Amino acid sequence: MDALRTHDSVSVAELAAEHGVSEMTIRRDLDELAQQGVVRRVRGGALSLLLRGEEPPFGVREREAAEAKRLIGAEVAALIADGEAVVLDGGTTALEVARALHDRRLTVLPLALQSVALLATAPRVRLVLPGGEVRHGELNVMGPLTETSLRALRFDTAVIGCCGLSAEHGLTAHDLPEVAVKQAAIAAARRVIVACDSGKFTRTAFGAVCPISRLDVVVTDPGIPREEREALVAAGVTVRVAAG
């Protein structure tokens, strides 16, 4: 996936040599990505089907930096006190936050059906659902009904995911309706926690959500670039690094 973000095509032989694995392993990986609609297989490699800057499917992203996301989810959960009202964004890292919150006593409004399904079995979570349209593939909720639901409520904490984060461009996301939902969630919360793996600091997505000055806490992994961490701290953002 990293290779496809910077190149329009990839070679089986080059990827196998770069990562020290067999060409058969690379072919299997490319076949799986082809089934997800990310690439088109060609002789000796594959061509990217993603538009420039487009995010890969949820199922692909869920396996990227999986352990880092699990640790980030646990760290975010540790920042939330029992009894809080929380709006929980969609995305793969936010899903790990939902797993870490499962046994807590909270009011939670999830913005993705994956988290809704997970928290529906949580015995002490008061689960509140927004209205809205479901985004195909991602299963996030979005649109005017979602935004209206968020404007009618007030939360102690918003846990927000992102497609990109930097001092220069702030918090960014690929999908424009999702940008509007994130903005509404942030506006409705007393505190904003961003949960993202360090790979997001090398990317800037199409839609601008907010500047870093609007954030209270960023929870990430040890791979965060030093200059980005320093810029966040200088802007008054608390940076917490989740490590095993």
Side-chain angles (χ1 to χ4, degrees):
M1 286 309 309
D2 287 339
L4 287 167
R5 287 190 177 100
T6 54
H7 301 88
D8 291 328
S9 64
V10 292
S11 160
V12 169
E14 290 176 1
L15 288 173
E18 179 181 352
H19 296 287
V21 299
S22 70
E23 292 190 7
M24 183 61 71
T25 296
I26 297 297
R27 288 192 188 95
R28 281 197 300 265
D29 289 345
L30 291 177
D31 288 342
E32 185 172 343
L33 290 175
Q35 291 175 3
Q36 299 261 10
V38 176
V39 301
R40 177 166 63 85
R41 292 286 274 117
V42 296
R43 188 176 184 86
L47 300 176
S48 175
L49 294 179
L50 295 176
L51 298 174
R52 183 67 64 186
E54 186 180 17
E55 62 185 336
F58 186 96
V60 174
R61 301 196 323 274
E62 192 173 20
R63 294 196 295 275
E64 292 185 313
E67 179 61 15
K69 291 174 182 178
R70 186 187 66 78
L71 293 171
I72 290 167
E75 184 72 20
V76 170
L79 296 174
I80 296 172
D82 276 359
E84 283 197 36
V86 179
V87 55
L88 180 60
D89 202 1
T92 56
T93 307
L95 183 58
E96 292 302 324
V97 177
R99 288 194 175 98
L101 294 176
H102 185 274
D103 296 324
R104 301 286 300 280
R105 183 175 61 81
L106 300 164
T107 297
V108 182
L109 186 148
L111 295 171
L113 297 188
Q114 297 95 334
S115 294
V116 170
L118 194 154
L119 292 173
T121 62
R124 300 200 298 162
V125 170
R126 179 190 181 196
L127 191 60
V128 180
L129 303 186
E133 179 182 351
V134 177
R135 182 183 171 197
H136 180 71
E138 291 294 304
L139 301 185
N140 291 357
V141 291
M142 61 185 186
L145 287 175
T146 308
E147 295 165 41
T148 299
S149 296
L150 291 168
R151 283 195 292 267
L153 300 168
R154 292 296 178 266
F155 301 92
D156 297 296
T157 301
V159 177
I160 304 295
C162 65
C163 302
L165 180 61
S166 70
E168 180 180 2
H169 299 291
L171 188 78
T172 58
H174 290 295
D175 188 68
L176 295 184
E178 190 176 319
V179 168
V181 171
K182 290 179 189 293
Q183 290 171 336
I186 289 169
R190 181 177 55 83
R191 177 178 62 160
V192 178
I193 300 176
V194 172
C196 68
D197 67 86
S198 59
K200 301 301 193 304
F201 291 96
T202 63
R203 304 169 197 162
T204 300
F206 184 56
V209 177
C210 69
I212 60 172
S213 58
R214 185 62 185 85
L215 312 178
D216 297 296
V217 183
V218 170
V219 180
T220 187
D221 60 70
I224 178 174
R226 179 177 57 82
E227 63 275 13
E228 291 292 346
R229 181 171 185 169
E230 291 174 351
L232 285 167
V233 172
V237 181
T238 299
V239 179
R240 295 182 69 103
V241 174

